[in-house]
């Protein structure tokens, strides 16, 4: 099963973009998945399975 974040970044799934940078992106999740109005996800472009799998570069890209 493909990663939902990578699917959004590749355009296979739609998103409402807040920002797109070379190393990270920010977007609003689908309205049914938003935890609150304006809930924004900031995701590094580098794929990782979870926080413990992410590289130091991924943390600085999204920070
Ligand atoms: Zn991914």
């Amino acid at each position: 099963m493909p990663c939902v974040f990578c699917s959004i970044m590749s355009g296979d799934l739609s998103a409402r973009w807040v920002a797109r940078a070379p190393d990270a992106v920010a977007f609003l999740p689908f309205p049914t998945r938003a935890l609150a109005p304006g809930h924004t996800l900031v995701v590094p472009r580098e794929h990782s399975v979870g926080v413990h799998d992410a590289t130091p570069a991924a943390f600085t890209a999204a920070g």
Side-chain angles (χ1 to χ4, degrees), residues 2-7 9 45-49:
C3 167
V4 66
F5 297 129
C6 288
S7 295
M9 286 185 270
R45 288 189 184 266
E46 179 182 297
H47 172 82
S48 62
V49 175

Side-chain angles (χ1 to χ4, degrees), residues 8-9 14-22 24-30 34 36-43 45 62:
I8 289 171
M9 286 185 270
S14 62
R16 294 175 60 196
W17 296 105
V18 174
R20 285 188 261 192
V25 297
F27 55 90
L28 303 173
F30 294 101
H39 173 206
T40 303
L41 296 173
V42 179
V43 180
R45 288 189 184 266

